[in-house]
Amino acid sequence: MTGRRRIRSTFLPRHHRPVRATALAAGALAACASLVTGCGVVPGTTGGSGDGSIKVMTWAPSDTEATNKPGMPAFARAYARWINSRGGINGRKLTVLTCNDHNDGVAAAQCARRAVKENVIAVVGSYSQYGDSFFPPLEGAGIPYIGGYGVTNDEFTSPLSYPVNGGQPTLLAGLGKELAAACGNVTLVRPDTIVGDELPVLLDSGLTTGGHRSASDVRAVEDATEYSAQSTKALDSSTSGGPDSGASVAGSKEGCVVPALGDRTSTFMDSFRRARADYPAVRTAMAMGSVDQTVIDASGGASGPYEGSYITGWYPVESDPRWDAMKKVINAAAFGDNRIDAADAGVQTTWIAYTVLKKAVESLGNGEVSADSVREVLNDGLKIPTGGLTPTLQWTTRDTWSTADDLATVGFPRMVNAHVTLQVVRGGQLVAAREGFTDVTKTLRNADVD
């Protein structure tokens, strides 16, 4: 493939103020009725423009057979309790609505329509694979989407999106760049879905930047209960053809297998551990979101299948003191909610997203706080430090820095953070493999994501 990804117009006019469509509001009534068990509000809080409060929504899938991120809305509620106990944001009470998108495009659209009906000023720190379902209602109402998980390319093209990390594109590009020097044959195991179809080219962008050939591509059912066939196929590919093949074609370097199956990565690793005993040694590598410290502990720690694995993340490791502020919020307001894990990348992303919201609202002073005003202050280039968890975040409707120009040319005009960290599992613990961040902007320029 040689073309670049075709993208739609990426910027709203500076003072564009969308009209909230009556049809969307009417649809939201049915949406909330059908999702009554999936939508919630922080107990004891009220919202609406009349009482001076700020109303937002956080959504994520929960109780599904595929990827689940219950910690994200749970942390959002805890954050609301914490910030309100401190007087709110700039004296305004924060109301957090939550919604379960059920890993379903219809449910994701229903969550978005409910956000429109409820007149929220932003959707904050959320996860959904269905950007093509939830962005149209948000865009029609002018509601900003702050700090999504970065699981779809729509989050890096929509003019209403303000991503705090580089999503799957940066994780896989950064991982490929690292594996190019460390691995022989590389095999990617990924979902046989539309989102999964985007993953090989991103991993390959890093591999080819490092002078490595493209990875073999093994497709898998996203919600399978075992992956023995895919494990065998991945091992055959990474060890050049079978259990008796010896070293990989690339020479003495071990082959590498990269599972990218979200919550089902642990299921794959169970099958993989049983299959790999009959093959030459291979190394595993993955992106954050597929594995965290809790998964590593549950799988046996240092004796488990993740030992020695490379893992790319967006942020510093959970033990880094830069997370202390988030941990204080969890300790003070989560009330022992075991859905909230400080090591979970979804929880971490939600913390940073609410940091962005807080800074945006504070910058408005005593002025109107609305979806329009929040969007406009972010588009005006407000600089938002995150305590070193990311580079300083800044969006603008004007391409005023070279990184934005570079990322726009490869179809990611809303991406402002293309930095990743490299971690490794040592002695059963996820630790930093290299200090600091790696900028993969140039690597992404090699990605053909048409």
Side-chain angles (χ1 to χ4, degrees):
M1 296 186 295
T2 59
R4 292 297 185 191
R5 187 173 190 264
R6 294 183 295 275
I7 59 174
R8 56 193 164 189
S9 176
T10 56
F11 300 120
L12 289 173
R14 174 106 192 284
H15 298 291
H16 179 68
R17 304 176 70 87
V19 177
R20 299 176 187 273
T22 303
L24 289 176
L29 293 173
C32 198
S34 66
L35 285 180
V36 67
T37 61
C39 301
V41 61
V42 179
T45 64
T46 58
S49 58
D51 61 8
S53 66
I54 303 165
K55 188 186 294 184
V56 300
M57 179 178 280
T58 298
W59 63 51
S62 182
D63 302 319
T64 77
E65 295 300 318
T67 298
N68 297 290
K69 293 293 179 183
M72 298 177 75
F75 177 80
R77 293 185 181 196
Y79 181 87
R81 289 191 290 267
W82 174 78
I83 201 71
N84 289 336
S85 72
R86 300 164 65 89
I89 301 178
N90 212 29
R92 295 176 170 92
K93 193 173 187 178
L94 176 65
T95 299
V96 173
L97 309 178
T98 61
C99 196
N100 184 350
D101 96 325
H102 296 284
N103 272 322
D104 178 80
V106 173
Q110 290 171 335
C111 288
R113 289 195 292 267
R114 181 176 178 236
V116 174
K117 173 188 178 286
E118 296 281 358
N119 201 39
V120 305
I121 67 166
V123 174
V124 186
S126 297
Y127 180 108
S128 178
Q129 298 186 49
Y130 297 96
D132 56 345
S133 296
F134 71 75
F135 268 119
L138 297 186
E139 290 173 347
I143 297 174
Y145 186 72
I146 301 173
Y149 194 80
V151 71
T152 69
N153 283 349
D154 296 289
E155 294 172 61
F156 303 107
T157 61
S158 171
L160 272 294
S161 183
Y162 302 86
V164 300
N165 60 47
Q168 289 284 0
T170 56
L171 293 183
L172 285 170
L175 189 59
K177 185 177 180 180
E178 184 65 33
L179 298 185
C183 299
N185 296 336
V186 178
T187 303
L188 173 68
V189 184
R190 51 86 171 184
D192 189 10
T193 62
I194 293 174
V195 172
D197 289 343
E198 299 172 350
L199 305 185
V201 71
L202 296 168
L203 180 66
D204 289 345
S205 70
L207 289 170
T208 56
T209 294
H212 199 287
R213 62 187 169 282
S214 297
S216 299
D217 183 19
V218 175
R219 303 183 185 191
V221 177
E222 185 177 33
D223 58 355
T225 57
E226 64 89 27
Y227 292 99
S228 57
Q230 289 80 10
S231 295
T232 299
K233 189 172 182 180
L235 285 161
D236 284 342
S237 177
S238 61
T239 59
S240 308
D244 300 319
S245 59
S248 71
V249 168
S252 60
K253 294 179 182 177
E254 293 178 348
C256 290
V257 176
V258 182
L261 296 166
D263 281 3
R264 281 294 187 269
T265 296
S266 58
T267 303
F268 171 84
M269 292 300 286
D270 285 340
S271 299
F272 186 74
R273 172 161 42 183
R274 292 190 292 270
R276 71 188 302 178
D278 296 327
Y279 286 80
V282 296
R283 191 164 196 170
T284 54
M286 55 215 71
M288 186 60 69
S290 294
V291 63
D292 57 25
Q293 188 61 53
T294 302
V295 172
I296 294 168
D297 293 342
S299 67
S303 62
Y306 295 101
E307 183 67 16
S309 295
Y310 281 125
I311 298 171
T312 47
W314 299 301
Y315 317 122
V317 293
E318 179 267 338
S319 59
D320 192 289
R322 283 171 283 187
W323 292 113
D324 287 352
M326 180 191 72
K327 292 176 181 178
K328 288 180 181 178
V329 173
I330 294 173
N331 291 335
F335 305 140
D337 190 334
N338 60 15
R339 295 172 298 175
I340 303 174
D341 183 352
D344 177 64
V347 170
Q348 294 171 350
T349 298
T350 304
W351 163 250
I352 296 171
Y354 275 91
T355 300
V356 172
L357 175 74
K358 181 173 181 288
K359 181 69 173 179
V361 171
E362 288 174 343
S363 73
L364 295 170
N366 294 323
E368 176 194 23
V369 179
S370 65
D372 294 327
S373 63
V374 168
R375 189 183 70 247
E376 289 176 5
V377 76
L378 291 176
N379 285 343
D380 277 345
L382 178 68
K383 293 183 178 181
I384 302 176
T386 62
L389 296 172
T390 70
T392 296
L393 301 173
Q394 182 185 23
W395 300 270
T396 178
T397 54
R398 300 174 299 278
D399 293 330
T400 56
W401 65 90
S402 60
T403 296
D405 292 337
D406 287 343
L407 292 168
T409 64
V410 295
F412 304 126
R414 299 302 288 170
M415 186 186 294
V416 298
N417 174 15
H419 289 67
V420 298
T421 58
L422 180 65
Q423 303 165 24
V424 66
V425 182
R426 289 180 182 152
Q429 297 297 308
L430 193 56
V431 299
R434 184 179 298 120
E435 293 299 320
F437 294 93
T438 298
D439 186 349
V440 298
T441 299
K442 293 181 179 179
T443 304
L444 285 172
R445 293 182 66 180
N446 289 335
D448 179 358
V449 289
D450 189 14

